[in-house]
Amino acid sequence: MAGESKDGDTAAERRARGIRATGRRRRPRSGRQRAMRVAAWTVAGAVVLGGGGLGFVYFKLDGNIDGVDINAALGTDRPEDIPNGSMDILVLGSDSREGDNAKYGKDEGGSRSDTAMVVHVNEDHSKASVVSIPRDTLIQRPSCESDGDSSATPKGEKVAAQRAMFNTAYEVGGPACAVKTVESLSGVRMDHYIEVDFTGFKKLINTLGGVKMTTTKSIKDKDSHLNLKAGTHTLNGEQSLGLVRTRHGVGDGSDLGRIQLQQAFIKALMDQVNSIGLFSNPKRLYDMADSATSAITTDSELDSVSELSGLAKMLKGIKSDDIQMTTLPVQYDPANPNRVVPLDTKTKKVWAAVKADRPIPKAATKGSAGDKTDIGGVVRQKGQVKGQTSEAGTAGE
């Protein structure tokens, strides 16, 4: 299969052992976050279904995946690739309004990253840390080359470095600029990139059969098209998208409250996948794999079924309680309360812990704006989500 070495290892597995992948291929990227673990698991399950249809399943799913060659775009001027077995993945949600996404707003010629999370899988692949980067964070964006797809800037034209909101990186230079910006901000090299847009996210949730969430009060947000009464709901794709996009219906109406909703939803999604017996239902498994592979854009080292399957093998032991959710430590910008700025000392502690493959210390987020924000409205099966936490496995319990 594509991406395998002579001994059968995939590039993802070789990277986990600290061996740099060699062969890379580039695929053209279409105009099309959160789906990383679901995608990997469902693809892996579909590949091992066996039987006479295996060839069709493989080639059908393999052809679904769009890939972009991040390594070729960024070259060698990147943070050191530390071969300690851990893995760092930038998971991005695109807010493109093209095609089926037009109902969510006007297409103004470019897309931005609606959601950005750095997923760090530890050395023995038993736990993960997730660092959410608020889209409105003011950062020093590095110079990037336009990819001619996400941006209205002509392809190949250089966009100068400047102080700007974090989510403009994707707008001016697509996935490569988003990765370059995260690496510049964190000093941590991203091993992989996974992106999903609005329509792909909805399709994934609908194919899964919805995600169970409980609200302690009604949530209504006309901008995200969400209208939920207090109580327990099995959210369909449209409702799930509304929940993870909601900001005006909870907390102080900021992006920090929305991030907490997203983090709670991801844990509930993982619990749902683990509870429905996905692998005992071949049709649902195939449908999920088809939806997942159609929904995502990845870096060129993950753009095949075999590579995603290798990633799944590494992640198979991680459950929702093994994930530590953190929001980048920020404060509201004194000059503009609609923007946030990183708390440098605390931010350095977060990225230092990620780089050293350690849990993120509680002190790193204490006192940040995200730590003080309390959405007070979303409940998972295990208990109420109350504000921010930096203890592994305690969010939502």
Side-chain angles (χ1 to χ4, degrees):
M1 291 184 183
E4 290 184 339
S5 63
K6 292 180 180 180
D7 59 1
D9 287 348
T10 64
E13 292 172 302
R14 294 196 301 274
R15 182 178 290 280
R17 300 200 318 272
I19 303 174
R20 185 182 299 275
T22 52
R24 297 187 180 118
R25 58 195 174 98
R26 180 176 183 138
R27 293 187 181 184
R29 185 177 170 278
S30 70
R32 308 178 293 111
Q33 89 181 133
R34 292 174 285 263
M36 179 268 292
R37 190 172 186 272
V38 177
W41 264 109
T42 53
V43 171
V47 170
V48 299
L49 281 175
L54 178 59
F56 167 77
V57 168
Y58 175 81
F59 287 109
K60 169 69 166 64
L61 299 180
D62 203 50
N64 285 346
I65 308 169
D66 285 325
V68 56
D69 197 338
I70 301 288
N71 292 321
L74 297 186
T76 58
D77 186 19
R78 303 177 66 184
E80 181 185 2
D81 190 2
I82 302 173
N84 65 356
S86 64
M87 180 174 288
D88 298 284
I89 306 167
L90 175 59
V91 180
L92 214 64
S94 164
D95 69 352
S96 169
R97 265 59 173 185
E98 292 184 350
D100 292 339
N101 295 328
K103 64 184 286 187
Y104 301 107
K106 182 180 178 181
D107 183 1
E108 298 180 348
S111 302
R112 296 189 180 187
S113 52
D114 195 58
T115 301
M117 297 180 176
V118 173
V119 179
H120 173 81
V121 182
N122 72 351
E123 182 177 356
D124 63 5
H125 313 142
S126 62
K127 293 185 181 296
S129 300
V130 175
V131 181
S132 295
I133 304 175
R135 56 176 289 174
D136 298 332
T137 306
L138 291 173
I139 49 93
Q140 185 63 28
R141 191 186 69 214
S143 62
C144 292
E145 186 175 286
S146 171
D147 68 349
D149 187 3
S150 308
S151 173
T153 304
K155 184 176 181 178
E157 184 173 313
K158 196 167 186 179
V159 182
Q162 69 175 79
R163 183 170 171 79
M165 288 195 303
F166 170 80
N167 69 341
T168 63
Y170 183 89
E171 180 183 25
V172 302
C177 188
V179 170
K180 185 175 183 179
T181 300
V182 169
E183 291 184 345
S184 174
L185 177 66
S186 66
V188 178
R189 185 185 178 107
M190 296 297 106
D191 298 302
H192 291 300
Y193 171 85
I194 297 176
E195 173 192 328
V196 63
D197 71 2
F198 291 164
T199 301
F201 177 78
K202 287 194 307 180
K203 186 178 179 182
L204 274 169
I205 302 305
N206 285 333
T207 305
L208 181 64
V211 174
K212 185 175 287 188
M213 298 284 289
T214 302
T215 61
T216 56
K217 61 182 180 181
S218 298
I219 301 177
K220 189 172 184 178
D221 186 344
K222 62 181 180 62
D223 293 331
S224 68
H225 305 275
L226 182 66
N227 188 357
L228 282 181
K229 293 183 178 180
T232 298
H233 311 272
T234 298
L235 303 180
N236 61 26
E238 188 73 43
Q239 292 171 317
S240 297
L241 179 62
L243 183 73
V244 299
R245 293 184 63 231
T246 287
R247 61 189 297 175
H248 301 298
V250 296
D252 61 2
S254 73
D255 192 42
L256 301 176
R258 173 165 58 184
I259 285 173
Q260 290 186 27
L261 288 176
Q262 292 168 353
Q263 292 175 346
F265 182 85
I266 288 171
K267 288 203 167 193
L269 173 62
M270 293 175 66
D271 289 341
Q272 184 81 359
V273 170
N274 289 328
S275 71
I276 63 173
L278 190 62
F279 293 95
S280 64
N281 186 330
K283 183 182 185 305
R284 174 175 277 187
L285 181 59
Y286 173 78
D287 289 344
M288 274 298 297
D290 190 29
S291 295
T293 52
S294 298
I296 62 175
T297 296
T298 74
D299 64 278
S300 58
E301 290 185 3
L302 277 185
D303 66 352
S304 71
V305 171
S306 59
E307 298 300 346
L308 285 172
S309 298
L311 180 61
K313 291 177 185 178
M314 287 188 291
L315 302 177
K316 65 182 179 181
I318 299 177
K319 303 296 187 289
S320 65
D321 288 341
D322 298 321
I323 297 181
Q324 178 186 21
M325 294 288 190
T326 302
T327 300
L328 191 74
V330 294
Q331 65 180 6
Y332 289 105
D333 182 12
N336 184 350
N338 294 316
R339 304 287 180 263
V340 295
V341 292
L343 293 168
D344 289 340
T345 300
K346 294 181 180 296
T347 295
K348 288 177 181 177
K349 290 180 180 179
V350 168
W351 297 127
V354 170
K355 191 179 296 188
D357 197 29
R358 298 194 309 265
I360 295 168
K362 214 170 188 178
T365 59
K366 187 175 182 180
S368 71
D371 190 48
K372 296 174 183 177
T373 301
D374 186 355
I375 58 174
V378 174
V379 178
R380 290 177 58 234
Q381 293 285 38
K382 295 182 180 179
Q384 190 169 351
V385 175
K386 281 288 189 181
Q388 183 72 24
T389 181
S390 60
E391 290 297 319
T394 61
E397 293 187 0

